[in-house]
Amino acid sequence: MTATNNFIPKHGGYRKLLSFQRAEVIYDGTIYFVNRFYRKPDRTIDQMVQAARSGKQNIVEGSMASATSKEFEIKLMNVARASLEELKMDYEDFLRTRKLPIWDKDHRLVTHFRQINRTPNANYQTFEKGIENENPEICANVMICLINITTYLLARQITALEKEFLENGGLRERMTKARLENRNKNRNNQI
């Protein structure tokens, strides 16, 4: 098969996605957070960990499924986003029930977080000082900031995937195009 009629595009590459990188930090930070602030058998532990895991794993699965189904990829990216929104509510509940403030977008530490977030190749260690801060208000709000950034990135990713689908179609269209190109090539070779 030639490069012009390959109908299964490159796929995967999720580790390069900023959304995946931040979702991984959120997962690791959530593990730290629930171990520090909740006691078993509190069901919140499992729910928060599962929501964080779902956010990360659905990015992985969607990226890998993209080769054969743009529809499935878009759905899974949206599931990742929804899972992270659910997790955000858990962090907001934590703050609210302890009468701690939820920072607005103009809070000085949110501004500081945005600067840190621009760090190239940011990972858990980049945000560790905030995630593992002795002040629970800072810990929970940093996690909310990470979730806000990640859900924003996922929303942009979904928009790009929709545009790509409209421009290039799905697997069936690519398969039909490749088959027609191959048929025309064979006809031309017989003439």
Side-chain angles (χ1 to χ4, degrees):
M1 205 168 261
T2 65
T4 59
N5 63 3
N6 284 342
F7 53 83
I8 296 183
K10 287 185 178 180
H11 57 285
Y14 55 87
R15 290 188 187 276
K16 294 179 184 174
L17 295 172
L18 284 178
S19 59
F20 172 79
Q21 293 167 10
R22 294 304 181 270
E24 189 169 58
V25 172
I26 291 166
Y27 176 78
D28 294 348
T30 298
I31 296 293
Y32 172 83
F33 190 89
V34 298
N35 286 334
R36 178 173 170 198
F37 293 109
Y38 292 99
R39 299 282 177 252
K40 290 191 179 200
D42 192 330
R43 289 190 61 224
T44 306
I45 296 169
D46 292 336
Q47 290 172 330
M48 288 180 74
V49 169
Q50 183 55 41
R53 183 184 182 282
S54 177
K56 181 174 76 74
Q57 296 304 106
N58 278 292
I59 295 169
V60 173
E61 188 176 356
S63 179
M64 295 306 295
S66 71
T68 55
S69 177
K70 284 293 171 196
E71 177 186 0
F72 197 55
E73 180 182 21
I74 291 167
K75 283 180 182 179
L76 287 172
M77 294 303 163
N78 204 48
V79 170
R81 191 169 149 221
S83 294
L84 292 174
E85 282 293 332
E86 176 188 346
L87 180 61
K88 178 179 161 183
M89 285 296 111
D90 286 325
Y91 283 108
E92 288 181 0
D93 290 346
F94 174 88
L95 290 165
R96 191 184 66 259
T97 59
R98 287 160 181 79
K99 301 196 182 333
L100 297 170
I102 298 170
W103 300 341
D104 67 22
K105 64 183 177 71
D106 298 319
H107 190 282
R108 67 178 180 80
L109 292 176
V110 172
T111 303
H112 182 65
F113 172 85
R114 285 191 198 114
Q115 292 169 341
I116 293 169
N117 186 56
R118 291 187 190 105
T119 304
N121 303 312
N123 57 25
Y124 186 86
Q125 287 70 36
T126 308
F127 303 100
E128 185 174 23
K129 189 174 178 184
I131 294 170
E132 297 185 12
N133 196 286
E134 64 183 39
N135 183 341
E137 174 191 336
I138 292 174
C139 298
N141 275 293
V142 165
M143 293 304 296
I144 290 170
C145 288
L146 281 163
I147 293 167
N148 286 338
I149 290 291
T150 308
T151 56
Y152 169 77
L153 291 169
L154 284 166
R156 289 188 52 185
Q157 218 171 310
I158 291 165
T159 300
L161 291 169
E162 290 169 344
K163 183 179 177 190
E164 182 184 338
F165 177 78
L166 290 174
E167 291 174 2
N168 301 320
L171 178 65
R172 285 194 178 138
E173 290 168 294
R174 291 190 308 270
M175 288 172 74
T176 300
K177 181 181 176 194
R179 188 182 48 158
L180 292 173
E181 285 176 3
N182 191 50
R183 184 183 300 160
N184 289 336
K185 180 182 157 191
N186 288 338
R187 272 192 206 139
N188 291 338
N189 288 339
Q190 292 175 353
I191 296 175

